[in-house]
Amino acid sequence: MSGDEALDLAPVVRNLIDLSDAGGDAIAAMINDAINRKAARAGWPKGKPDADAPLAGRVLAMIFEKSSTRTRVSFDIAMRQLGGSAIILDSGTSQLGRGESIADTARVLSRMADAIMVRTDDHAKIEEMGQYAHVPVINGLTDRSHPCQIVADLLTVIEHGKPLPGLEVAWFGDGNNVLHSILEAAGLMKFNVRVATPEGYDPEGEFVEMARAGGAQVTMTRDAKEAASGADVIVTDTWVSMGQDHTHNKLAAMAPYQVNSALMANAKLDAIFLHCLPAHVGEEVTEDVFESAQSVVFDEAENRIHAQKSVLLWSFGLLG
Ligand code: CP
Ligand code: NVA
């Protein structure tokens, strides 16, 4: 389909606030499309549009109330590759930072842009944005979840020859927003999750229940070695997320959950290591693991572009 034909279609508004908004079939379609588009443009300059430029003429407005490198750049490049463009707003230089309401911002941006991506501290804010906007709203990370990251993670796992059904994914450290979206994906895509967290840092039970209700096996343990044993994928994230206090107590509680070579030795020989980045090498992961052949963190980072293209196409009703 050409960009002009795409624009002639009745507008479709699909929000991706969390992965369940899309569902398993749509996530599978996103991953397939990402694989195909990535292959079709191999070796091209990164800003050159894909041959079909399906989002020609469309503009994405991105709101950042927290820092970002990957999410910001990947969505911008994704829009360029789809033939569209992106605008970045941050709370320091937009009226949001001076107290303009989410509801008014949503309605104004809906008149000016074709989709809105939001990174914010409070998940309730993106839900409110979704309620008031009449263009697609995409979650670029909240305190509760990080769905776009997980589409890229699943793409990376599949690219590395690991089909999702029955996959054993082991998480170490903080029961945070990234883990929540992994658990949500597990129920939708039928893979299993072993969660090794210290007491007091478990993920929200709602996400564990969601995974189990979807048919995923979820093992909650305090024993990092048990979680790693026979795992296909080893995942961790920063021990201190954006907006959280860097307390000595938390770091001490996390220490037994560090991903190091002794822990990796318990996983399958061909296990891969994932980290959404930014990493704090020497804290949640040691340098030898981070730099090892099993570490696919830079494939994972690049895949943010390819995955975000699929998310955008889905949100406009052009995929899945
Ligand atoms: N992984 C991720 O979302 O990175 P950024 O914070 O740099 O966007
Ligand atoms: N859990 C981290 C992810 C950063 C991409 C955070 O919320 O800061």
Side-chain angles (χ1 to χ4, degrees), residues 14-31 137-138 147-148 151 154 184-185 188-189 310-315 319-320:
R14 288 173 172 168
N15 295 341
L16 192 84
I17 308 283
D18 276 308
L19 292 169
S20 301
D21 294 331
D25 290 347
I27 293 170
M30 288 181 201
I31 293 170
V137 173
I138 298 169
C148 293
V151 181
L154 300 182
E184 191 164 1
L188 297 170
M189 309 308 287
S310 294
V311 167
L312 286 160
L313 290 173
W314 174 82
S315 71
L319 184 67

Side-chain angles (χ1 to χ4, degrees), residues 56-241:
R58 306 233 193 188
V59 180
L60 172 71
M62 299 195 273
I63 299 173
F64 286 96
E65 295 196 303
K66 284 179 169 177
S67 304
S68 171
T69 297
R70 279 144 290 267
T71 303
R72 175 180 173 141
V73 176
S74 63
F75 269 101
D76 191 331
I77 300 297
M79 283 304 289
R80 292 178 201 216
Q81 292 188 1
L82 292 170
S85 59
I87 295 170
I88 294 176
L89 296 89
D90 60 60
S91 38
T93 56
S94 68
Q95 298 291 7
L96 263 175
R98 293 183 57 249
E100 185 168 15
S101 71
I102 300 281
D104 290 356
T105 305
R107 287 177 287 184
V108 169
L109 291 180
S110 296
R111 300 287 186 106
M112 295 183 170
D114 297 296
I116 305 169
M117 193 232 72
V118 185
R119 168 167 286 196
T120 185
D121 45 0
D122 182 357
H123 195 78
K125 290 190 191 173
I126 195 164
E127 286 179 333
E128 191 178 354
M129 185 72 75
Q131 200 182 327
Y132 283 94
H134 48 87
V135 296
V137 173
I138 298 169
N139 178 356
L141 179 145
T142 68
D143 55 345
R144 177 181 151 92
S145 58
H146 197 4
C148 293
Q149 176 70 51
I150 304 314
V151 181
D153 290 7
L154 300 182
L155 167 61
T156 308
V157 166
I158 288 172
E159 270 186 340
H160 283 271
K162 299 182 185 303
L164 298 180
L167 194 78
E168 297 290 337
V169 174
W171 173 274
F172 300 88
D174 193 20
N176 67 13
N177 46 4
V178 175
L179 175 59
H180 288 163
S181 291
I182 289 177
L183 286 166
E184 191 164 1
L188 297 170
M189 309 308 287
K190 318 299 176 205
F191 61 87
N192 303 322
V193 188
R194 296 101 171 268
V195 177
T197 49
E199 202 176 337
Y201 298 98
D202 290 336
E204 284 179 25
E206 179 193 338
F207 285 94
V208 176
E209 291 317 311
M210 222 187 285
R212 288 182 176 149
Q217 288 169 25
V218 181
T219 309
M220 307 288 291
T221 178
R222 306 276 176 240
D223 182 344
K225 190 173 167 186
E226 179 195 339
S229 177
D232 298 292
V233 180
I234 301 286
V235 201
T236 191
D237 185 14
T238 179
W239 288 341
V240 183
S241 284

